[in-house]
Amino acid sequence: MFRGVHAINMDAKGRMAMPTKYRDGLKNSDDGQLIATIDIQTRCLLIYPLSVWEDIEQKLQKLPSLNASTRRLQRLMLGYASELELDGNGRVLLPAALREYAGLEKKVVLVGQGGKFELWNDEQWAAETAQAIEDANSGDLDVPDDIQNLVF
């Protein structure tokens, strides 16, 4: 289970260190194998353990490819999917195309989302969270009915 917001520095080659608390779990469950792809709704990356991604990939491939919207989704999510591997220092190398898509530079933010991570440019993350908080405070945040019934 991935949770929390982690500020990380990425080096000039596009390598970033995974937070220490996740390294052993990722190495034990998936031999340090990850998949990164683009988020088609926002300019960030989605990073999955390989085993989680394989389930998603199978579901995407089973969708009817004659539907134009489905085909576009498959093209983007599967097409940009890139294999990552934790090195001996707990780092992953992010491909240039993915870094460019998400506007990733030196300062990035890794956000735990349960079974996956989101990886953001730090300035875009700050803007996204500020907008979400503003929307929530103004009543403009569209909260689905099933979430409104949760007790916190």
Side-chain angles (χ1 to χ4, degrees), residues 37-138:
T37 192
I38 64 171
D39 184 325
I40 60 169
Q41 296 178 323
T42 56
R43 289 279 179 167
C44 73
L45 301 181
L46 304 175
I47 301 176
Y48 297 90
L50 179 61
S51 58
V52 174
W53 173 255
E54 288 174 336
D55 290 339
I56 294 167
E57 186 174 49
Q58 287 177 356
K59 290 175 185 174
L60 283 170
Q61 289 175 343
K62 288 180 182 177
L63 294 172
S65 61
L66 293 178
N67 177 298
S69 296
T70 299
R71 189 74 184 124
R72 291 173 113 182
L73 173 71
Q74 291 168 324
R75 201 173 281 135
L76 292 171
M77 292 200 66
L78 296 173
Y80 274 97
S82 300
E83 297 174 2
L84 310 178
E85 184 173 353
L86 284 175
D87 68 13
N89 295 317
R91 298 174 303 185
V92 294
L93 175 63
L94 296 164
L98 293 180
R99 294 193 318 263
E100 184 179 323
Y101 173 84
L104 301 179
E105 296 174 0
K106 183 176 174 80
K107 294 184 179 189
V108 298
V109 178
L110 187 71
V111 183
Q113 294 292 294
K116 68 178 182 283
F117 296 102
E118 291 179 351
L119 185 62
W120 290 80
N121 167 295
D122 68 330
E123 292 175 1
Q124 289 174 318
W125 172 250
E128 178 76 15
T129 55
Q131 185 63 55
I133 290 167
E134 183 180 317
D135 290 349
N137 289 334
S138 69

